[in-house]
Amino acid sequence: MLITLVIVTITACKSTNWRTASREPAGIAPKPMVEKQAVIEFYAADAFSWRGWFAVHTWIAIKEQNADKYTVYEVMGWGVDRGRSALREYKTETPDRYWFGAKPEKILSVQGPKAALLIPKIKHAIAQYPWKSEYTLFPGPNSNTFPAWVGLQVPELGLDMPFSALGSGYADTAGED
């Protein structure tokens, strides 16, 4: 019985290679060439490898009215130790891509006039994010701290982070030095 448990555990620990893991779109975001209204979306997907048993990775996508692409904002630790910013930004038609093999879920979606009013506030909050050059897996700041912090700065969003968004509580510590 113990041997079976060890084999199952070792097998479960074997993860997909991050280089070959799916980054395909999940098909849950409004297509920017079809949806002309402003769109704000927050996504969460299981973290890569064994971390996904406990935690999610979260990110923000915004599309201004009539824009043909989304701007995606997320925080990642890769390269921070070499001076790269943790806060990443890129343009895409598919902000709902799998997170290295894990299908994302929407945790918030705002569309239309309300989204158009909130996008400038979100952009301002992103510009003020205090941990752009820091990343700590636990307790934070990490990928979940970022959307939680934006949600605190723009309370009209009504963002409710998932329980498994470990590090989101770190956002409450801004200004506590």
Side-chain angles (χ1 to χ4, degrees):
M1 179 68 173
L2 181 59
I3 292 173
T4 303
L5 181 60
V6 170
I7 290 170
V8 168
T9 303
I10 290 170
T11 304
C13 288
K14 184 179 178 187
S15 62
T16 304
N17 181 323
W18 67 268
R19 288 182 178 98
T20 59
S22 176
R23 296 286 283 147
E24 292 297 313
I28 58 176
K31 297 192 182 321
M33 300 306 281
V34 175
E35 179 56 67
K36 296 301 180 186
Q37 295 188 83
V39 178
I40 300 166
E41 306 229 303
F42 284 66
Y43 294 98
D46 288 346
F48 183 71
S49 186
W50 60 267
R51 293 171 197 88
W53 296 347
F54 309 102
V56 294
H57 171 82
T58 54
W59 65 97
I60 303 169
I62 59 174
K63 185 192 81 64
E64 298 196 45
Q65 185 170 326
N66 296 318
D68 61 352
K69 291 188 177 182
Y70 287 85
T71 303
V72 173
Y73 301 92
E74 64 187 331
V75 163
M76 293 187 288
W78 301 318
V80 171
D81 59 339
R82 294 182 305 280
R84 186 170 183 189
S85 175
L87 180 57
R88 314 288 169 86
E89 172 184 341
Y90 63 92
K91 302 266 187 201
T92 183
E93 294 178 14
T94 55
D96 58 344
R97 296 186 312 162
Y98 275 61
W99 178 251
F100 297 99
K103 185 176 182 179
E105 294 181 24
K106 284 185 198 182
I107 57 174
L108 178 70
S109 181
V110 180
Q111 298 181 20
K114 182 177 179 182
L117 288 172
L118 294 179
I119 286 174
K121 293 180 179 186
I122 292 170
K123 286 181 170 184
H124 179 74
I126 290 168
Q128 303 303 312
Y129 183 63
W131 301 289
K132 291 177 185 163
S133 61
E134 298 176 51
Y135 189 94
T136 305
L137 191 60
F138 188 79
N142 62 28
S143 66
N144 297 316
T145 307
F146 170 63
W149 192 85
V150 171
L152 290 172
Q153 306 313 300
V154 188
E156 305 96 298
L157 283 166
L159 178 63
D160 185 20
M161 294 291 286
F163 178 77
S164 57
L166 300 180
S168 60
Y170 193 87
D172 296 329
T173 67
E176 293 179 12
D177 286 328

